[in-house]
Amino acid sequence: MDLRDYQWEVIGPALEGKNTIIWLPTGTGKTRAAVYVAMRHLEMKRNAKVAMIVNKVHLVHQHHSKEFQPYLEDRFKIIPISGESETKSFFANFMKKSDIVICTAQILHNALKSNSEEMHVELTDFSLIIIDECHHTQKDAVYNQLMEIYLEKKFAGHRNLPQILGLTASPGTGGASTFENAVDHILTICANLDTWKIMSPQTSIEDLKAKAKQPVKQYDLVPGREEDPFGDKMKELMATIHEYLGEFEFTRDFGTQMYEQRIVEMEKNGAESANRMKRTCAIHLRKYNDALFLHDTVRMKDAYDFLEEFYIIEKFVKNSGDETDVFLYSLFNDNSNELLELSKNMKYENPKLKRLEEILKEHFQDSSNSHGIIFTRTRQNTHSLLGWINSNDSLKSFNIKAEVLTGAGFSNQSKHMTQNEQKEVIEKFRRGLLNLLISTSVAEEGLDIPQCNIVVRYGLMTNEISMVQARGRARADDSCYSFLAKSGGRESRREMTNECLEDLMKRAIKYVQDMPEREYEDKIRDLQRDSLTERLVKKKKEESKKKFLPSEVRLDCRNCSAAVAYGNDLRVVEEAHHVNVNPTFKVYYEEYTGPVNLGKKMMDWVPGSAIRCRFCKAHWGLIMIYRGLTTLPIISIKNFVIKTPESYKTCKKWKDVPFPLERFNYSEYFEEHHSDTEDD
C-alpha cells in the first residue's frame, strides 16, 4: 500500500499505539491512512480486533468496498454491518469471527447496551477503534456516547482499552467567536476522544498542497427582486390567517428562519392545549413559509406548485368539515388563480436563477470533462432546481445530466431517498452517466464522489465545517467554488464569517498542537473529569424526577386531541420503534396506502401500509408484518401528545417519557397469539 509523505507523517504516533486525531483536507486520503494503521495494528498486536465506525449508513459500504476490502481482504476477515442488514442482530457473533468490523456508531452503541448474547459486545473486545468524521464527538452525539463509555472505564481503572484514531477534515470552532473559546472547543474534542495529539503535516506541507488543490472562490452575489407581487400576495394570505387567529405579534418576519421557529412553537402549544384551530393554522402557516423559502430560492412556479399540492392532499386525505379547515381551504382556493397568474410573470422571476444559469453554461461548455455539485438547503429545493434545469431550453445544448442526492432519513416534509437510490445516483455520477448533482448537505462529507470542477453553494447559511467540506468537493484542476446568494443578505454575511471562523479554527488547532505536554495532559484530564461529573449530576437529576406508571400516561392524537392509547400499550422494537400491542387500538386508526418502502431491512418483519387517525385523518405511522402473519402498528411518537396525570404537558423527546418501556419480544408474542399457525 503506497502512502504519500504527508500521510506517513500524520500516522506516525498511531503506529506507535497512541490515540490521535488525523486532520487532513477532504480528498487527501485520511481513510487510506487509517487502513494502513489498521493493517499494521493487526499484524503487530496479538488477538487484535479493529472497529471502523461511521455516522452514516452509506459510508459503511463505501469504506468496505473502496478502502478496506481492496487492500486487506486477502489477509483479514472484514465484515460491514449497518442498519439495513440482518447482521446487526448478530453483531457479537460476526464480530468474533472477524478481524475488522465496519459499522455505524449507532449499531455499535446498541450492541454495547444490548442484553442479547448474539448482539452484546464490550468496548474492550476491540483493540483499535477508528472514528470517521470525529468532529461529531461532542454533546449528545452517538460518537460521544460511545466515548463516554470509554472514559468511564478509563477512570474506573480498566486496562486493555482500545486505541482511538479519529479522522476529520474540519473540527470547527463549536460556535466560538473568540480565540480562547475556539481553543476550548478543540481541547474538548481532544478530551472526548482521549487524544494524545492532533496530527497534521508539518514537514510535508508542500506534498499536501500538491494533492489538496484549492479551488478558486468567487462570490456570485445578485440583487433581490425590485418588485415581488407574488411574495407580497402570499404574505397577505399569511397575515389573514393571523387575523383569523387573533394573533398579530409576529407577522413581520414572514419567509425567515425566525418565523419558522415561532410557528413550530405555536403548533406545539396548540397541540399541548388541545387548541385545534391554533395547531391547524400553524401547520398551514409553516407551509406558506416553506413556499416563501422556495420562492426565494427557485421559481415562483415551484412555490405555487408546492402550496397547491399541499392543499390538494389535505383536502383529499382529510375531507374535513371542520370550520378552521374549511376557512383555510377556501382562503387558498379563492386566491389560487391570482397566485398562479403572478407566478407566470417572468418580469418578477428569481435573479439568482439567471446567475446560476450563467455559471452552468460557463463550466459545462466542455461537458465531457465537467462534473459539478449544487448544494442547497432543503430536499424540496433540490427537486425544484432539477425541474428548472430540465425545463430550461438554453441549457439543453450543454448536455447537463443532473440528478438529486438527498438524505435517506424519512421526512414528512418531502420525499426521502433510500440507501440504494443514493448509491445508484453516486455510481452514475462516478461513471459519467451523470455530471451534475443537486444535493443537500448529505454530499458534503464522507461520500466517495469524483473530483468536481464546479461547486455551487446556492443561498446557504451554514457553519464553517459545512463550508470547508463543500469546498473540498472542488478538487479538479482549475476548479471553482461559487457562493451564490442575494447581495447584502444574511447568507453572504454568514459565508464571510465562516471564512474568519476557518482561520480561527486553524489558529486554535496550532495552539493546541504546540501546548507543552504536561499542560495539555492536565487540561485534557480536567475536561474529562468535568464531563464525567456533569454526566453523573444529570443522571441523578433524571432519577429524581417523578415517574408514572405506564397505565397513567396517555397518548392523544396531536391533530384532533382524541385519546387513543396508554403507555402500557407500547413496546420497543429494535431499540427505536414503538409498537402498540393493544388489539383495541385498531378502532382508532385506518390504513390508507399500499406497502411503504423504508429502504432498509429489519429482522423478521417488513413494513405494510401507512396508518392515520380514523377521526381527523392525521398520519400516525405504519403497519409492521411480523413473519408474514402478525400485524402490529408502529406509531411515530411525534404525531401524539403525551399526557401525564400531573402536568398534562408534552414530553420534548420520547426518552423523556416518565416510565420505562419494555423491549418487545417477538417470539413470546408470536407463540401466544399464533401457536396453532406456528405448528402448521
Side-chain angles (χ1 to χ4, degrees), residues 139-329:
K139 299 180 181 178
D140 292 326
V142 65
Y143 279 171
N144 211 28
Q145 293 176 35
L146 288 172
M147 288 308 300
E148 285 171 358
I149 297 172
Y150 174 101
L151 292 176
E152 285 174 359
K153 290 182 179 296
K154 175 186 174 180
F155 279 89
H158 283 253
R159 296 185 178 183
N160 299 321
L161 286 172
Q163 177 187 349
I164 304 297
L165 176 61
L167 311 176
T168 183
S170 177
T173 62
S177 57
T178 66
F179 177 73
E180 291 76 13
N181 289 342
V183 168
D184 286 344
H185 170 72
I186 299 300
L187 284 168
T188 298
I189 290 179
C190 290
N192 292 344
L193 289 160
D194 198 34
T195 305
W196 177 78
K197 195 169 186 180
I198 301 178
M199 294 301 298
S200 61
Q202 305 296 322
T203 62
S204 51
I205 294 176
E206 293 305 315
D207 183 44
L208 177 63
K209 287 180 178 179
K211 176 67 175 175
K213 296 177 181 178
Q214 291 297 305
V216 174
K217 182 170 183 176
Q218 61 188 43
Y219 277 88
D220 290 298
L221 305 180
V222 299
R225 294 177 172 95
E226 292 184 6
E227 295 180 72
D228 186 15
F230 179 83
D232 292 341
K233 185 62 182 178
M234 283 204 295
K235 292 174 183 178
E236 177 188 314
L237 299 183
M238 294 170 77
T240 302
I241 297 174
H242 278 283
E243 289 175 13
Y244 177 77
L245 275 171
E247 296 190 4
F248 309 97
E249 67 271 23
F250 51 88
T251 58
R252 296 179 181 177
D253 299 324
F254 297 145
T256 66
Q257 201 81 38
M258 186 179 298
Y259 178 80
E260 180 178 315
Q261 293 169 1
R262 291 170 173 171
I263 287 301
V264 168
E265 191 64 30
M266 177 194 287
E267 187 277 334
K268 177 183 172 184
N269 291 337
E272 290 176 352
S273 61
N275 186 333
R276 191 173 187 277
M277 175 195 285
K278 188 174 186 179
R279 181 181 180 274
T280 304
C281 285
I283 290 172
H284 286 245
L285 284 167
R286 184 172 182 184
K287 289 296 179 181
Y288 275 100
N289 206 58
D290 289 342
L292 283 174
F293 280 137
L294 273 173
H295 170 57
D296 182 61
T297 306
V298 278
R299 299 169 293 183
M300 293 181 286
K301 173 186 181 300
D302 299 307
Y304 175 82
D305 290 346
F306 174 79
L307 270 181
E308 184 184 45
E309 182 181 5
F310 168 71
Y311 276 101
I312 289 172
I313 293 174
E314 277 286 290
K315 195 162 187 178
F316 173 75
V317 171
K318 291 187 176 179
N319 193 24
S320 171
D322 178 84
E323 179 183 327
T324 301
D325 288 330
V326 171
F327 164 75
L328 293 167
Y329 298 152

